[in-house]
Structure formats: structure tokens, C-alpha cells
Amino acid sequence: QVQLVESGGGLVQAGGSLRLSCAASGSIFSISGMGWFRQAPGKQRELVATITSGGSTNYADSVKGRFTISREHAKNAVYLQMNSLKPEDTAVYYCNALVRTTQYWGQGTQVTVSS
């Protein structure tokens, strides 16, 4: 079992920045990939960014060049630095961890970008 706790969401004006953090606990040594997903009202949950245990990253086209995912193994944490935020980035952001074929999710943190 893996437990994930997100923090760092909030309200920001368009063009601003936020940094999301996710702390993992439990069977952390079995985690392969981690990532961030988001879900806006009335929309499906979508991938934002992922990072493997080796550090390879993948981003949604909509956030490339603006968001950066990073992972700190010593703290069992993953981060999402979000710059140049847009109103369309408004959503609940979820941390995700992959253990073999099982996905674990955090409770989510709200990000609201005002225009």
C-alpha cells in the first residue's frame, strides 16, 4: 500500500506560479513511476506530467514549457512547478504513484487561476 498526500494548491492570478508537493509513505520502495493528473469540473481526469524512477519525464502538450515535474527520492516526494498559469489550468490536481500495475491516488488539491 502507498499513501499520497498533496499540498501547495491555491488561488493565483493568470501568469503566476504555484508549486505542488506530494509526499509518499507506505511501500515506497515498490513505486516505479509517479505523476500528476488533474480534473476540471465536468471534464475527465487527464494526465499532466509523469516521471519514472530513472528520472524520465513526460508532459501533456498543454503544459509543456510551463510545468516541471521533479522527484526527490530521499524525501519520497514528487513536485510540480507550475509557471505562467492560465485560467484553463484550474482543476483539482491529483498525485499518482504506480506500483507494478496498481495506481494509487492522493486526495487532490485545488488549483484556481483567475483571469
Side-chain angles (χ1 to χ4, degrees), residues 3 10 12 37 40 46 53-55 57 61 63 66 74 79 81 97 104 106:
Q3 295 79 43
V12 65
F37 290 67
E46 63 177 5
S53 56
T57 59
D61 287 342
V63 307
R66 301 188 297 123
Y79 307 99
Q81 178 66 44
Y104 293 90

Side-chain angles (χ1 to χ4, degrees), residues 12-70:
V12 65
Q13 289 189 332
S17 299
L18 281 175
R19 186 185 191 225
L20 304 183
S21 300
C22 173
S25 60
S27 301
I28 57 175
F29 296 105
S30 58
I31 295 175
S32 53
M34 297 189 73
W36 291 93
F37 290 67
R38 66 187 181 187
Q39 187 167 17
K43 294 188 177 181
Q44 289 188 331
R45 190 172 297 189
E46 63 177 5
L47 179 147
V48 176
T50 61
I51 186 166
T52 68
S53 56
S56 297
T57 59
N58 180 52
Y59 295 92
D61 287 342
S62 59
V63 307
K64 281 181 181 176
R66 301 188 297 123
F67 291 10
T68 302
I69 189 170
S70 60

Side-chain angles (χ1 to χ4, degrees), residues 67-80:
F67 291 10
T68 302
I69 189 170
S70 60
R71 190 170 172 180
E72 189 171 0
H73 291 279
K75 293 187 176 181
N76 306 315
V78 64
Y79 307 99
L80 186 68

